[in-house]
Short mmCIF file of all heavy atoms in Angstrom, two decimals:
data_model
loop_
_atom_site.label_atom_id
_atom_site.label_comp_id
_atom_site.label_asym_id
_atom_site.label_seq_id
_atom_site.Cartn_x
_atom_site.Cartn_y
_atom_site.Cartn_z
N MET U 155 -134.47 75.76 151.62
CA MET U 155 -134.94 74.65 152.45
C MET U 155 -135.92 75.12 153.51
O MET U 155 -136.99 74.54 153.70
CB MET U 155 -133.75 73.94 153.10
CG MET U 155 -132.91 73.09 152.17
SD MET U 155 -131.38 72.53 152.96
CE MET U 155 -132.06 71.47 154.26
N MET U 156 -135.53 76.19 154.22
CA MET U 156 -136.41 76.68 155.29
C MET U 156 -137.67 77.32 154.72
O MET U 156 -138.76 77.19 155.29
CB MET U 156 -135.66 77.67 156.17
CG MET U 156 -134.46 77.07 156.91
SD MET U 156 -134.87 75.66 157.97
CE MET U 156 -134.33 74.26 156.96
N ALA U 157 -137.55 77.99 153.58
CA ALA U 157 -138.74 78.56 152.94
C ALA U 157 -139.73 77.47 152.56
O ALA U 157 -140.92 77.54 152.88
CB ALA U 157 -138.33 79.37 151.71
N GLN U 158 -139.22 76.45 151.88
CA GLN U 158 -140.08 75.36 151.43
C GLN U 158 -140.59 74.54 152.61
O GLN U 158 -141.76 74.12 152.63
CB GLN U 158 -139.31 74.47 150.45
CG GLN U 158 -140.19 73.56 149.62
CD GLN U 158 -140.97 74.32 148.55
OE1 GLN U 158 -140.57 75.39 148.13
NE2 GLN U 158 -142.09 73.76 148.12
N GLY U 159 -139.73 74.32 153.60
CA GLY U 159 -140.13 73.53 154.76
C GLY U 159 -141.22 74.20 155.56
O GLY U 159 -142.23 73.57 155.93
N VAL U 160 -141.05 75.48 155.85
CA VAL U 160 -142.06 76.21 156.63
C VAL U 160 -143.36 76.32 155.84
O VAL U 160 -144.46 76.16 156.38
CB VAL U 160 -141.53 77.61 157.01
CG1 VAL U 160 -142.65 78.48 157.58
CG2 VAL U 160 -140.40 77.48 158.03
N MET U 161 -143.24 76.60 154.54
CA MET U 161 -144.44 76.71 153.72
C MET U 161 -145.22 75.40 153.72
O MET U 161 -146.44 75.39 153.91
CB MET U 161 -144.06 77.11 152.29
CG MET U 161 -145.24 77.43 151.38
SD MET U 161 -145.93 75.97 150.56
CE MET U 161 -144.61 75.58 149.41
N ASN U 162 -144.54 74.28 153.55
CA ASN U 162 -145.22 72.99 153.56
C ASN U 162 -145.78 72.65 154.93
O ASN U 162 -146.88 72.09 155.04
CB ASN U 162 -144.27 71.89 153.08
CG ASN U 162 -144.24 71.75 151.58
OD1 ASN U 162 -144.95 70.97 150.99
ND2 ASN U 162 -143.40 72.56 150.95
N LEU U 163 -145.04 72.98 155.96
CA LEU U 163 -145.50 72.73 157.32
C LEU U 163 -146.82 73.44 157.58
O LEU U 163 -147.78 72.84 158.11
CB LEU U 163 -144.43 73.19 158.31
CG LEU U 163 -144.55 72.72 159.76
CD1 LEU U 163 -144.28 71.22 159.86
CD2 LEU U 163 -143.58 73.49 160.65
N LEU U 164 -146.90 74.71 157.19
CA LEU U 164 -148.10 75.49 157.45
C LEU U 164 -149.22 75.20 156.46
O LEU U 164 -150.39 75.12 156.83
CB LEU U 164 -147.76 76.99 157.43
CG LEU U 164 -146.77 77.47 158.49
CD1 LEU U 164 -146.58 78.98 158.41
CD2 LEU U 164 -147.22 77.07 159.89
N MET U 165 -148.86 75.02 155.18
CA MET U 165 -149.90 74.79 154.18
C MET U 165 -150.55 73.42 154.37
O MET U 165 -151.75 73.26 154.11
CB MET U 165 -149.34 74.91 152.77
CG MET U 165 -150.43 74.90 151.69
SD MET U 165 -149.83 75.25 150.03
CE MET U 165 -148.92 73.75 149.68
N THR U 168 -152.58 73.86 157.92
CA THR U 168 -153.68 74.82 158.00
C THR U 168 -155.05 74.22 157.66
O THR U 168 -156.01 74.42 158.41
CB THR U 168 -153.38 76.04 157.09
OG1 THR U 168 -152.29 76.77 157.66
CG2 THR U 168 -154.59 76.95 156.97
N GLY U 216 -137.97 88.02 153.51
CA GLY U 216 -138.88 86.89 153.47
C GLY U 216 -139.00 86.19 154.82
O GLY U 216 -140.08 85.76 155.22
N ILE U 217 -137.88 86.08 155.54
CA ILE U 217 -137.90 85.47 156.87
C ILE U 217 -138.76 86.29 157.82
O ILE U 217 -139.57 85.75 158.59
CB ILE U 217 -136.47 85.33 157.41
CG1 ILE U 217 -135.68 84.32 156.56
CG2 ILE U 217 -136.49 84.89 158.88
CD1 ILE U 217 -134.19 84.28 156.89
N ASN U 220 -142.39 85.74 157.17
CA ASN U 220 -142.80 84.43 157.66
C ASN U 220 -142.96 84.43 159.17
O ASN U 220 -143.87 83.79 159.71
CB ASN U 220 -141.78 83.37 157.23
CG ASN U 220 -142.13 82.71 155.92
OD1 ASN U 220 -143.20 82.14 155.79
ND2 ASN U 220 -141.24 82.79 154.95
N LEU U 221 -142.08 85.12 159.87
CA LEU U 221 -142.21 85.20 161.33
C LEU U 221 -143.48 85.95 161.72
O LEU U 221 -144.17 85.58 162.68
CB LEU U 221 -140.98 85.89 161.93
CG LEU U 221 -139.69 85.07 161.92
CD1 LEU U 221 -138.50 85.93 162.33
CD2 LEU U 221 -139.81 83.86 162.84
N LEU U 222 -143.83 87.00 160.97
CA LEU U 222 -145.09 87.70 161.22
C LEU U 222 -146.28 86.78 160.96
O LEU U 222 -147.29 86.85 161.67
CB LEU U 222 -145.17 88.94 160.32
CG LEU U 222 -144.22 90.09 160.66
CD1 LEU U 222 -144.33 91.19 159.61
CD2 LEU U 222 -144.50 90.64 162.05
N ALA U 223 -146.15 85.91 159.97
CA ALA U 223 -147.21 84.94 159.69
C ALA U 223 -147.41 83.99 160.87
O ALA U 223 -148.55 83.68 161.26
CB ALA U 223 -146.87 84.15 158.43
N VAL U 224 -146.32 83.52 161.46
CA VAL U 224 -146.41 82.64 162.62
C VAL U 224 -147.08 83.35 163.79
O VAL U 224 -147.92 82.77 164.49
CB VAL U 224 -145.00 82.15 163.02
CG1 VAL U 224 -145.04 81.41 164.35
CG2 VAL U 224 -144.43 81.24 161.93
N VAL U 225 -146.73 84.62 164.00
CA VAL U 225 -147.34 85.39 165.09
C VAL U 225 -148.84 85.53 164.85
O VAL U 225 -149.65 85.33 165.77
CB VAL U 225 -146.67 86.78 165.20
CG1 VAL U 225 -147.45 87.66 166.18
CG2 VAL U 225 -145.23 86.63 165.65
N ALA U 227 -150.85 83.61 163.16
CA ALA U 227 -151.52 82.32 163.34
C ALA U 227 -151.59 81.93 164.81
O ALA U 227 -152.53 81.23 165.23
CB ALA U 227 -150.78 81.24 162.55
N MET U 240 -151.42 82.90 156.28
CA MET U 240 -151.05 82.15 155.09
C MET U 240 -150.70 83.05 153.92
O MET U 240 -149.88 82.67 153.06
CB MET U 240 -152.16 81.18 154.72
CG MET U 240 -152.39 80.07 155.75
SD MET U 240 -150.86 79.19 156.17
CE MET U 240 -150.47 78.41 154.61
N ASN U 243 -147.19 84.14 154.75
CA ASN U 243 -146.32 82.99 154.54
C ASN U 243 -146.03 82.80 153.05
O ASN U 243 -144.90 82.49 152.66
CB ASN U 243 -146.97 81.74 155.12
CG ASN U 243 -146.24 80.46 154.74
OD1 ASN U 243 -146.77 79.63 154.00
ND2 ASN U 243 -145.02 80.29 155.22
N MET U 250 -137.86 84.32 149.81
CA MET U 250 -136.76 83.42 150.17
C MET U 250 -136.43 82.47 149.03
O MET U 250 -135.25 82.20 148.74
CB MET U 250 -137.13 82.63 151.43
CG MET U 250 -137.30 83.47 152.68
SD MET U 250 -137.91 82.52 154.09
CE MET U 250 -136.48 81.48 154.45
N THR U 285 -141.33 67.89 156.10
CA THR U 285 -142.28 68.76 156.79
C THR U 285 -143.72 68.44 156.42
O THR U 285 -144.62 68.56 157.26
CB THR U 285 -141.97 70.23 156.47
OG1 THR U 285 -141.87 70.41 155.05
CG2 THR U 285 -140.66 70.66 157.12
N SER U 288 -144.58 65.40 158.46
CA SER U 288 -144.59 65.62 159.92
C SER U 288 -145.66 66.60 160.36
O SER U 288 -146.04 66.60 161.54
CB SER U 288 -143.22 66.11 160.37
OG SER U 288 -142.88 67.34 159.75
N SER U 289 -146.16 67.44 159.46
CA SER U 289 -147.11 68.47 159.86
C SER U 289 -148.36 67.87 160.48
O SER U 289 -148.80 68.28 161.56
CB SER U 289 -147.48 69.33 158.65
OG SER U 289 -148.38 70.35 159.03
N LEU U 292 -147.54 66.30 163.88
CA LEU U 292 -147.36 67.31 164.92
C LEU U 292 -148.70 67.89 165.35
O LEU U 292 -148.97 68.07 166.55
CB LEU U 292 -146.46 68.44 164.40
CG LEU U 292 -144.95 68.19 164.39
CD1 LEU U 292 -144.23 69.35 163.71
CD2 LEU U 292 -144.42 68.02 165.82
N GLY U 297 -150.54 69.56 168.64
CA GLY U 297 -151.38 70.74 168.51
C GLY U 297 -150.80 71.79 167.57
O GLY U 297 -149.63 71.76 167.20
N TRP U 298 -151.66 72.73 167.20
CA TRP U 298 -151.33 73.77 166.23
C TRP U 298 -150.19 74.67 166.70
O TRP U 298 -149.34 75.10 165.92
CB TRP U 298 -152.58 74.57 165.94
CG TRP U 298 -152.45 75.71 164.96
CD1 TRP U 298 -152.78 77.01 165.17
CD2 TRP U 298 -152.00 75.64 163.60
NE1 TRP U 298 -152.56 77.76 164.05
CE2 TRP U 298 -152.08 76.94 163.06
CE3 TRP U 298 -151.53 74.60 162.78
CZ2 TRP U 298 -151.70 77.24 161.76
CZ3 TRP U 298 -151.15 74.91 161.48
CH2 TRP U 298 -151.23 76.20 160.98
N GLN U 299 -150.16 74.96 167.99
CA GLN U 299 -149.12 75.85 168.51
C GLN U 299 -147.73 75.23 168.37
O GLN U 299 -146.75 75.95 168.13
CB GLN U 299 -149.41 76.19 169.99
CG GLN U 299 -150.68 76.99 170.22
CD GLN U 299 -150.67 78.34 169.52
OE1 GLN U 299 -149.66 79.01 169.47
NE2 GLN U 299 -151.83 78.75 169.00
N VAL U 300 -147.62 73.93 168.50
CA VAL U 300 -146.32 73.27 168.33
C VAL U 300 -145.90 73.32 166.85
O VAL U 300 -144.72 73.48 166.54
CB VAL U 300 -146.37 71.82 168.84
CG1 VAL U 300 -145.09 71.07 168.50
CG2 VAL U 300 -146.61 71.81 170.35
N VAL U 301 -146.86 73.19 165.95
CA VAL U 301 -146.56 73.34 164.52
C VAL U 301 -145.97 74.73 164.26
O VAL U 301 -144.95 74.88 163.56
CB VAL U 301 -147.82 73.13 163.67
CG1 VAL U 301 -147.54 73.45 162.20
CG2 VAL U 301 -148.32 71.69 163.80
N LEU U 302 -146.58 75.74 164.84
CA LEU U 302 -146.10 77.11 164.66
C LEU U 302 -144.73 77.31 165.30
O LEU U 302 -143.86 78.00 164.74
CB LEU U 302 -147.11 78.10 165.25
CG LEU U 302 -148.50 78.11 164.60
CD1 LEU U 302 -149.43 79.06 165.35
CD2 LEU U 302 -148.41 78.50 163.13
N ALA U 303 -144.53 76.72 166.46
CA ALA U 303 -143.23 76.85 167.13
C ALA U 303 -142.13 76.19 166.30
O ALA U 303 -141.01 76.71 166.20
CB ALA U 303 -143.29 76.22 168.52
N THR U 304 -142.43 75.06 165.69
CA THR U 304 -141.46 74.38 164.83
C THR U 304 -141.10 75.27 163.64
O THR U 304 -139.93 75.39 163.26
CB THR U 304 -142.04 73.05 164.33
OG1 THR U 304 -142.39 72.24 165.46
CG2 THR U 304 -141.02 72.31 163.48
N ALA U 305 -142.12 75.91 163.06
CA ALA U 305 -141.86 76.82 161.94
C ALA U 305 -140.98 77.98 162.38
O ALA U 305 -140.07 78.40 161.64
CB ALA U 305 -143.18 77.33 161.38
N ALA U 306 -141.22 78.51 163.57
CA ALA U 306 -140.42 79.63 164.06
C ALA U 306 -138.96 79.24 164.24
O ALA U 306 -138.05 80.02 163.91
CB ALA U 306 -141.01 80.13 165.38
N VAL U 307 -138.71 78.05 164.77
CA VAL U 307 -137.33 77.59 164.94
C VAL U 307 -136.63 77.46 163.59
O VAL U 307 -135.46 77.86 163.44
CB VAL U 307 -137.32 76.24 165.69
CG1 VAL U 307 -135.92 75.62 165.68
CG2 VAL U 307 -137.80 76.43 167.13
N MET U 308 -137.32 76.94 162.59
CA MET U 308 -136.73 76.81 161.26
C MET U 308 -136.39 78.17 160.67
O MET U 308 -135.34 78.36 160.04
CB MET U 308 -137.69 76.05 160.35
CG MET U 308 -137.93 74.61 160.76
SD MET U 308 -139.24 73.81 159.79
CE MET U 308 -138.47 73.76 158.17
N LEU U 309 -137.27 79.14 160.88
CA LEU U 309 -137.04 80.48 160.35
C LEU U 309 -135.86 81.15 161.03
O LEU U 309 -135.07 81.86 160.40
CB LEU U 309 -138.30 81.33 160.50
CG LEU U 309 -139.47 80.91 159.61
CD1 LEU U 309 -140.76 81.59 160.06
CD2 LEU U 309 -139.18 81.24 158.16
N LEU U 310 -135.73 80.94 162.33
CA LEU U 310 -134.59 81.52 163.05
C LEU U 310 -133.28 80.89 162.58
O LEU U 310 -132.25 81.58 162.51
CB LEU U 310 -134.78 81.33 164.55
CG LEU U 310 -135.94 82.14 165.18
CD1 LEU U 310 -136.11 81.77 166.65
CD2 LEU U 310 -135.69 83.64 165.02
N ALA U 311 -133.31 79.61 162.24
CA ALA U 311 -132.12 78.96 161.69
C ALA U 311 -131.75 79.58 160.34
O ALA U 311 -130.56 79.83 160.05
CB ALA U 311 -132.37 77.46 161.52
N ALA U 312 -132.76 79.86 159.50
CA ALA U 312 -132.49 80.51 158.22
C ALA U 312 -131.97 81.92 158.42
O ALA U 312 -131.08 82.37 157.69
CB ALA U 312 -133.78 80.55 157.38
N LEU U 313 -132.49 82.62 159.42
CA LEU U 313 -132.03 83.98 159.70
C LEU U 313 -130.56 83.98 160.11
O LEU U 313 -129.78 84.82 159.66
CB LEU U 313 -132.90 84.60 160.80
CG LEU U 313 -132.62 86.07 161.13
CD1 LEU U 313 -132.90 86.96 159.93
CD2 LEU U 313 -133.46 86.51 162.33
#
Side-chain angles (χ1 to χ4, degrees):
M155 287 170 65
M156 296 303 102
Q158 197 72 25
V160 169
M161 187 273 290
N162 275 266
L163 194 69
L164 297 183
M165 190 172 71
T168 291
I217 293 171
N220 268 302
L221 288 171
L222 290 175
V224 171
V225 171
M240 294 308 294
N243 171 247
M250 295 174 69
T285 51
S288 61
S289 181
L292 281 174
W298 179 235
Q299 295 299 321
V300 173
V301 173
L302 297 176
T304 303
V307 171
M308 295 172 67
L309 291 167
L310 292 175
L313 185 63

